[in-house]
Amino acid sequence: ELEVALKVVIVGDGGVGKSSMIQRYCRGTFTRDYKKTIGVDFLERQIEIDGEEVRLMLWDTAGQEEFDAITKAYYRGAHACVLAFSTTDRDSFLALHSWKLKVENECGEIPTIIVQNKIDLMDQCVVGPDEAELVARALGCRLMRASVKEDVNVGAVFRALAARCLAN
Ligand code: GDP
Ligand code: MG
């Protein structure tokens, strides 16, 4: 039986929780200051979707997003994408559109889910629920809300993406 392997890129402004999300999903841990393991481009986790084994390879950026210097190698061959922003960072929300375009330029149309992270910090929320829905609709993506810190919806995001890829 052929194993399905999916490359998933996680993009969004620095500080929104991308590395934490990957670490949470693949290692089950959360720390305040996650440093990317040197020499490792991605972490992986195997799941089962409708009886099929799926190997998810979650690609991390080494902080280059701050300098707009993510290389083509990062995007190359990606099957799916998480577009992440933070509940407490309005600029990261406003940057979603440009991140979507960058991914599209390199990968074409691939299954993409917008993730509003850090919903444990709702008391500091700077993005209205309606405007988040509106932007998601405008970009043609599903919106999911998550807290990597409290492990809310992280697994659901990657399951949904994997299911979308298998359905294609
Ligand atoms: P990246 O730059 O997008 O990779 O973001 P990081 O994964 O390095 O996370 C930036 C900071 O946000 C770190 O201090 C994380 O511990 C913190 N963080 C990540 N996810 C959450 C979350 O769901 N809730 C809260 N409160 N903090 C988070
Ligand atoms: Mg990071």
Side-chain angles (χ1 to χ4, degrees), residues 12-21 30-34 60-61 63 65-66 117-121 146-150:
D13 282 3
V16 301
K18 301 181 298 297
S19 299
S20 302
M21 188 180 300
F30 178 83
T31 53
R32 195 160 275 288
D33 53 350
Y34 172 65
D60 197 7
T61 61
E65 68 272 20
E66 299 284 11
N117 187 34
K118 309 197 188 185
I119 56 163
D120 56 287
L121 300 176
S147 168
V148 170
K149 182 179 181 186
E150 296 184 350

Side-chain angles (χ1 to χ4, degrees), residues 63-101:
Q64 314 103 307
E65 68 272 20
E66 299 284 11
F67 315 105
D68 205 13
I70 297 179
T71 58
K72 285 191 186 301
Y74 177 76
Y75 294 105
R76 189 171 300 133
H79 300 94
C81 173
V82 170
L83 268 183
F85 73 99
S86 165
T87 297
T88 62
D89 177 354
R90 189 159 179 86
D91 285 343
S92 74
F93 171 67
L94 297 175
L96 287 175
H97 188 234
S98 92
W99 281 113
K100 177 75 163 62
L101 289 178

Side-chain angles (χ1 to χ4, degrees), residues 75 78 81 100-112:
Y75 294 105
C81 173
K100 177 75 163 62
L101 289 178
K102 276 177 207 171
V103 174
E104 239 175 73
N105 278 339
E106 300 293 339
C107 310
E109 287 282 352
I110 55 176
T112 299

Side-chain angles (χ1 to χ4, degrees), residues 9-25:
V9 290
I10 291 98
V11 300
D13 282 3
V16 301
K18 301 181 298 297
S19 299
S20 302
M21 188 180 300
I22 295 167
Q23 179 187 240
R24 162 66 79 195
Y25 188 62

